[in-house]
Amino acid sequence: AQSVTQLDSHVSVSEGTPVLLRCNYSSSYSPSLFWYVQHPNKGLQLLLKYTSAATLVKGINGFEAEFKKSETSFHLTKPSAHMSDAAEYFCVVSVTGTASKLTFGTGTRLQVTL
Amino acid sequence: ETGVTQSPTHLIKTRGQQVTLRCSSQSGHNTVSWYQQALGQGPQFIFQYYREEENGRGNFPPRFSGLQFPNYSSELNVNALELDDSALYLCASSLTGTTDTQYFGPGTRLTVL
């Protein structure tokens, strides 16, 4: 079975400062890992995904994440936060199989202040 | 390229009623997955359809059922609605059922009174 743990339910940063959203995963097999973002009353948008290629993954809107197998982590970072980054972020794991069921973390709410 | 669309946007039902939610997959995608997102939680996998056949199911009771049509659009049916069924229901489509990224629609907000 696979699971993800998002270590912070809420993160607050000032605009222009770095963002770090933490995620640890557990998987019996080689996982695929994703970060999705959800703005209020909107669906989920894919930020980036890792599928056993490069361990440093670049996504949209300046976000990136690093897969660290030794630490079972997949933290999401951005060098400089923007007000429009305020949203709910989900770390997601899946294992390739008969059905690519996505297993979501509980989410991290990112607040960006002036 | 048309994205994933869902209808209706919002729905209010009473306990015991039945509801049907609809999803049109992204152009060229043959796999549809459904998720339930309760308030303040991450989405939970309900089931997946690949080429009109159920291709995996999460921990949801049989009163949650689905269909996929030849054009790969899909329906989620919920019978005997319970208060706890109130949630945002998300549909996601992908090119295949196994490895490809899932792209989500905006969701249907179901309220059960």
Side-chain angles (χ1 to χ4, degrees):
Chain A
Q2 67 264 19
S3 65
V4 288
T5 301
Q6 293 186 244
L7 300 172
D8 307 290
S9 60
H10 182 259
V11 170
S12 182
V13 301
S14 299
E15 190 175 34
T17 64
V19 175
L20 170 64
L21 305 183
R22 300 182 295 164
C23 172
N24 287 348
Y25 72 90
S26 173
S27 177
S28 303
Y29 304 96
S30 295
S32 293
L33 291 161
F34 309 79
W35 278 97
Y36 280 87
V37 61
Q38 187 174 38
H39 291 275
N41 300 313
K42 301 282 188 182
L44 291 155
Q45 181 184 20
L46 177 69
L47 280 178
L48 50 81
K49 73 174 184 178
Y50 165 79
T51 54
S52 77
T55 57
L56 183 62
V57 182
K58 293 189 183 298
I60 62 171
N61 300 335
F63 285 95
E64 64 181 37
E66 186 172 7
F67 175 75
K68 292 187 176 180
K69 187 175 181 178
S70 61
E71 299 176 10
T72 61
S73 69
F74 190 59
H75 301 334
L76 181 70
T77 60
K78 182 174 181 177
S80 176
H82 191 272
M83 293 296 289
S84 61
D85 294 329
E88 189 86 19
Y89 291 78
F90 292 97
C91 182
V92 182
V93 64
S94 79
V95 176
T96 300
T98 306
S100 56
K101 165 186 139 178
L102 299 182
T103 300
F104 284 76
T106 51
T108 297
R109 179 160 297 278
L110 176 64
Q111 180 181 18
V112 182
T113 58
L114 287 171
Chain B
E1 185 179 85
T2 306
V4 179
T5 60
Q6 293 185 244
S7 63
T9 306
H10 296 89
L11 206 50
I12 299 175
K13 292 286 188 179
T14 56
R15 265 189 315 175
Q17 286 188 312
Q18 179 267 342
V19 68
T20 297
L21 310 181
R22 295 178 175 82
C23 170
S24 292
S25 58
Q26 187 166 313
S27 177
H29 288 183
N30 57 23
T31 301
V32 172
S33 304
W34 285 92
Y35 294 82
Q36 180 196 66
Q37 185 178 18
L39 200 61
Q41 298 182 23
Q44 300 288 317
F45 175 72
I46 303 175
F47 44 57
Q48 183 181 86
Y49 279 83
Y50 171 63
R51 294 188 174 180
E52 303 179 59
E53 297 288 330
E54 188 177 288
N55 188 40
R57 189 178 182 93
N59 294 325
F60 282 81
R63 59 189 186 84
F64 285 79
S65 63
L67 280 174
Q68 188 178 31
F69 300 99
N71 66 354
Y72 303 131
S73 66
S74 177
E75 285 182 355
L76 164 65
N77 298 290
V78 187
N79 293 322
L81 284 167
E82 301 177 359
L83 297 179
D84 285 349
D85 295 333
S86 295
L88 180 68
Y89 288 85
L90 295 162
C91 164
S93 75
S94 55
L95 187 56
T96 70
T98 56
T99 58
D100 281 344
T101 300
Q102 296 184 22
Y103 295 91
F104 284 81
T108 294
R109 173 75 61 187
L110 173 64
T111 301
V112 182
L113 302 175

